[in-house]
Amino acid sequence: MEIIPNVHLVPNTVANPYLLIDPDGLTLIDAGLPGSHRKILRYLASLGFAPVDLKRILITHADFDHVGGLAPLKKASGARVYASPVEARAIAEGHASRPLKPRSVVARLLFDLMARSFNPATVQVDELLSDGQILPVLGGLRVVETPGHTPGHISLFAPSAQILFCGDSIVSGEAGLRVSSGANNWNQAKSDESARKQAALGARILCSGHGPVVMDAAGKFPQV
Ligand SMILES: [Zn+2]
């Protein structure tokens, strides 16, 4: 689904992967659940691209619904993989970058079951990202450190299109935008601080890891 020219959401995956098109090739932000690589490669093909056209895969954080398709995508495309140092270590070791905090025995059993069912293959990250770094994507894609949901979570901001890819730091839902919170949130104070930093960027379009894309995001960021 085209969001704006050269920016697409790969539809019908559990966590949203975004595809960015530049003259020198394609960049993917996040890789979906294990198995999502098939949908992502089919979507590329529907736009007339081959797997080898995918040059970069940027990972916002190491949760299984964002890195599940990473290993087969890297294998099929030869793309270089980018993440923050903290998330890169977790991706290389095949687990999340922070412990979950289930509030009940049932929730703990559910988390354990999910971890076993969706355990993604390990991947060696090629390039480590840091705050303020500019990637040669969409005329300059800025890395914004947004810790809170996980310790090494990053967002990506393209000033040319005023579009912010926020991973799971801000969740888009029926009731609007909310800051990451609850059992899978690493540090609430950091999440709130990151949300304030994101609101100040002046993004016009917000692309979250879950829920619908928000086209008129200015003024809708969570007040924390
Ligand atoms: Zn997450």
Side-chain angles (χ1 to χ4, degrees):
M1 185 192 94
E2 186 181 79
I3 300 167
I4 55 171
N6 300 322
V7 179
H8 291 244
L9 163 64
V10 180
N12 306 317
T13 58
V14 168
N16 297 330
Y18 294 96
L19 186 67
L20 317 179
I21 303 170
D22 278 293
D24 73 335
L26 308 177
T27 300
L28 184 74
I29 299 179
D30 286 342
L33 275 178
S36 294
H37 63 285
R38 294 187 198 93
K39 281 182 184 167
I40 293 168
L41 291 175
R42 271 203 301 272
Y43 190 76
L44 257 68
S46 77
L47 298 177
F49 294 109
V52 293
D53 293 323
L54 183 61
K55 302 296 183 197
R56 305 175 196 87
I57 305 173
L58 316 180
I59 299 295
T60 60
H61 66 297
D63 281 352
F64 66 88
D65 53 341
H66 295 255
V67 299
L70 182 58
L73 277 175
K74 186 179 185 188
K75 194 168 175 219
S77 65
R80 291 180 73 74
V81 177
Y82 300 64
S84 76
V86 170
E87 305 301 314
R89 196 176 318 125
I91 294 165
E93 292 171 359
H95 56 72
S97 59
R98 46 75 177 100
L100 299 172
K101 295 174 280 189
R103 293 205 181 95
S104 67
V105 174
V106 174
R108 176 169 293 284
L109 288 171
L110 191 64
F111 283 174
D112 287 349
L113 181 67
M114 283 198 307
R116 277 201 301 276
S117 308
F118 294 114
N119 200 14
T122 60
V123 173
Q124 211 60 43
V125 170
D126 300 297
E127 302 217 15
L128 300 179
L129 298 173
S130 57
D131 195 51
Q133 193 173 340
I134 310 283
L135 301 169
V137 176
L138 296 180
L141 187 64
R142 191 196 310 164
V143 177
V144 184
E145 286 179 356
T146 49
H149 180 71
T150 66
H153 189 289
I154 59 151
S155 298
L156 296 146
F157 180 55
S160 60
Q162 294 172 290
I163 187 165
L164 176 65
F165 303 92
C166 67
D168 283 359
S169 60
I170 296 175
V171 181
S172 166
E174 294 292 314
L177 300 175
R178 69 167 178 83
V179 179
S180 171
S181 63
N184 67 353
N185 196 55
W186 170 65
N187 182 312
Q188 195 62 53
K190 295 273 189 201
S191 287
D192 293 349
E193 194 182 316
S194 291
R196 288 192 286 273
K197 185 177 177 183
Q198 288 165 308
L201 292 171
R204 186 172 58 89
I205 303 169
L206 185 73
C207 297
S208 175
H210 298 275
V213 172
V214 179
M215 294 302 289
D216 48 353
K220 289 185 180 168
F221 280 79
Q223 300 294 311
V224 285

